[in-house]
Amino acid sequence: MSGDPARADLAAIFQAALGRVDPYKMIVDHLRLEGNRLVASFEGLCHDEDLDRYDRVMVLGAGKAAARMARAVEQVLGDRISGGLVVTKYGHGEPLERIELVEAGHPTPDDNGVNAARRIAALAEAACARTLVLILISGGGSALLCAPAETGDGAPSLADKQAVTAALLASGAAIGEINCVRKHLSALKGGGLLRLLAPARSLTLILSDVVGDRLDVIASGLTAPDPTTFAEALAILDAYRLRERVPEAVRLRLEQGAAGRLPETVKPGDPVLARATNCLIGTNRAALNAACAEAQARGYRPLPLTSTLTGEAREVAKALYAIARDVRDHDLLAAPPVCLVAGGETTVTVTGPGLGGRNQELALAFLAEMGRDPRRGEGIVLLSAATDGGDGPTDAAGAFAATEVLDRAQAAGLSVEAALRANDSYRFFDATGDLLKTGPTLTNVCDLQMILVR
């Protein structure tokens, strides 16, 4: 509960990680005006633009952190901004003065996202060689900026894209696989935005919500070359046995593209890339390092495990618990007190009718491992949480797992195994009082798993 020192430490460690990847602070600290030059410097990359070369500075963007990023850009550039439009998830807005803000549906696209995408496409097409376009991209941009491709006999509708997104999410497909399919159904993704912007110059600031920080995967690569193909998108549907279950227009478009009858996404070497600069401003690795620093300040020995954690949430939980148990029982890796920290993004293959997210499912599976431990998880406490504050289709960022949670569940007559079978982690932790609810954090760099071993 809230009075538990270990739980309080974990919440503080998570908050320190969020503070490190606050997009407002990162942009204000690393994007600056020097006379008439705009200078961007992030983790070794330094880029500057002579604003005297441009008649207009326009701002476009999409993602859960887009509004906060836009507010920071307004702080830096002020009245040099001639206009623009960013789209973010419902409830993730911030007050803006010079850049228009639209809120739309995520993770399933809606009409607001489609309309915003069309307007952004029109603004991009109106840009000329004397336009500098600042593009702000963060996690969620792929769903929020939904522009169904217009070409081909099998042009998909919004409803078609909603259906295929929902099917891929439920199948347990990784975000890179989902985005590969999205890119080949879109007019903007896979570098499509750059095609519309040409011949304008663009500087893109990117907050990564993708394991490995691949620019072609974050928000489906709006401003990056795309190494994937129509054939690969089709193969992903086949791998999850979805080809015959998705809308016919989706299947037809991907089949036409794979047969070479539709133009591919932007590939490396395309001339449109020459006037585009991509700048990665925040990553899961940065959040993980901040979590480790806060853990050390609180008296724990930090042990960063990885920032590229993937896999089924319940299988990852087993591995993490095994590591924590070895630390507790055998001083393996280090002697307690220890804080194990991992980052990345797991997946959940949904088979039950319940409610939850990948972090809550991981915490529930971790709790199941505690129940199998003869010491019932003594000395081990976990927090698994999404850095954007929204785990799956819920209002919780994640959940805690500890011996005390097992006790509360037992007292309430709750079964960990039954909740796992139903994929009902949210209702389980809601009943025990062990959800973490932060509200929208206005950042997004995947997830963190923090485990205290005492």
Side-chain angles (χ1 to χ4, degrees), residues 74-236:
E74 286 190 343
Q75 175 67 29
V76 174
L77 283 172
D79 59 9
R80 290 176 182 263
I81 297 171
S82 57
L85 173 65
V86 298
V87 56
T88 194
K89 182 178 178 178
Y90 294 117
H92 287 56
E94 292 220 338
L96 300 175
E97 296 180 2
R98 298 173 177 84
I99 304 163
E100 185 180 351
L101 174 67
V102 172
E103 295 188 357
H106 179 280
T108 303
D110 67 3
D111 286 330
N112 275 5
V114 172
N115 292 334
R118 288 172 177 158
R119 292 181 60 199
I120 283 177
L123 288 169
E125 286 185 302
C128 68
R130 290 190 61 81
T131 304
L132 175 64
V133 184
L134 291 182
I135 304 172
L136 312 176
I137 294 177
S138 58
S142 189
L144 290 163
L145 208 59
C146 180
E150 301 291 340
T151 57
D153 297 333
S157 66
L158 170 61
D160 294 334
K161 293 193 73 173
Q162 289 172 331
V164 73
T165 297
L168 286 164
L169 286 168
S171 74
I175 186 63
E177 294 174 314
I178 295 171
N179 284 355
C180 172
V181 175
R182 284 170 165 169
K183 281 185 279 192
H184 289 87
L185 302 175
S186 172
L188 295 179
K189 300 174 177 68
L193 181 57
L194 290 184
R195 282 182 173 154
L196 297 180
L197 281 170
R201 183 83 176 91
S202 66
L203 170 62
T204 304
L205 306 182
I206 302 171
L207 187 67
S208 173
D209 71 327
V210 169
V211 175
D213 305 324
R214 285 178 50 185
L215 300 185
D216 62 293
V217 177
I218 303 166
S220 297
L222 294 163
T223 60
D226 175 32
T228 70
T229 63
F230 277 104
E232 289 175 60
L234 202 58
I236 288 165

Side-chain angles (χ1 to χ4, degrees), residues 291-332:
C292 287
E294 181 65 20
Q296 186 168 31
R298 290 176 173 268
Y300 298 95
R301 182 175 291 106
L303 290 179
L305 300 177
T306 181
S307 64
T308 58
L309 189 66
T310 58
E312 271 293 322
R314 60 182 66 192
E315 297 303 320
V316 168
K318 292 178 183 178
L320 290 176
Y321 191 78
I323 294 169
R325 188 172 173 179
D326 270 339
V327 171
R328 182 196 66 187
D329 295 345
H330 306 296
D331 294 350
L332 195 64

Side-chain angles (χ1 to χ4, degrees), residues 22-40:
D22 177 347
Y24 180 87
K25 186 176 187 301
M26 287 188 293
I27 289 176
V28 169
D29 287 349
H30 299 282
L31 184 71
R32 63 189 185 277
L33 278 174
E34 295 182 357
N36 287 325
R37 304 193 75 82
L38 178 65
V39 181

